[in-house]
């Protein structure tokens, strides 16, 4: 099984998505979007940009832990990773986003259960 996207709503009514790997680990978290259509556009951007190595920006937290941002062609951040313990772990995270990002599976957590 490959990864999937989960869309959820924050306490202030904005939308966010996460990209999950096949093992259900979150590998990319989006910014907040005012509308559902904005979040859908963000997912489409990850699907398009995630396979491209030049779209990854390698960063470090203030305390030195590596992480990455995935950027669109216009250089806007689409999503960010968690902080990793090592550069090698961050690189594995990027490989996972490259592999799982193109998925079309979307789980909508904003819908009320019937």
């Amino acid at each position: 099984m490959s990864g999937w996207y989960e869309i959820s709503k924050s306490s202030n009514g904005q939308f966010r998505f996460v990209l999950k790997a096949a093992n259900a680990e979150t590998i990319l978290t989006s910014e907040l979007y005012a509308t559902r259509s904005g979040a859908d556009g963000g997912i489409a951007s990850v699907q398009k940009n995630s396979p491209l190595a030049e779209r990854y920006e390698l960063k470090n937290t203030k305390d030195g832990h590596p992480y990455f941002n995935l950027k669109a062609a216009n250089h806007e951040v689409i999503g960010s990773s968690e902080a990793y313990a090592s550069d090698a772990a961050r690189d594995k995270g990027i490989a996972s986003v490259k592999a799982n990002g193109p998925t079309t599976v979307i789980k909508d957590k904003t819908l009320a259960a019937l």
Side-chain angles (χ1 to χ4, degrees):
M1 180 178 167
S2 65
W4 66 90
Y5 293 93
E6 285 184 0
I7 297 178
S8 60
K9 213 171 191 180
S10 68
S11 58
N12 67 358
Q14 293 188 305
F15 294 85
R16 158 181 286 139
F17 65 85
V18 295
L19 175 60
K20 301 262 187 177
N23 65 1
E25 289 285 321
T26 296
I27 53 176
L28 192 75
T29 302
S30 77
E31 307 294 317
L32 288 172
Y33 295 90
T35 64
R36 169 62 194 263
S37 63
D40 289 339
I43 289 172
S45 188
V46 173
Q47 291 166 331
K48 178 181 177 182
N49 291 288
S50 61
L52 307 172
E54 65 271 17
R55 298 289 193 249
Y56 292 87
E57 176 185 45
L58 308 183
K59 306 279 281 180
N60 286 300
T61 62
K62 290 179 183 174
D63 60 357
H65 290 94
Y67 73 100
F68 63 87
N69 290 324
L70 175 63
K71 292 187 162 189
N74 65 1
H75 305 290
E76 292 290 320
V77 174
I78 310 165
S80 300
S81 73
E82 65 180 355
Y84 292 95
S86 68
D87 289 349
R90 179 198 54 213
D91 294 346
K92 285 178 74 174
I94 290 171
S96 185
V97 172
K98 284 180 177 179
N100 291 288
T103 184
T104 57
V105 178
I106 299 172
K107 298 181 180 182
D108 190 342
K109 301 291 186 178
T110 67
L111 301 175
L114 298 177

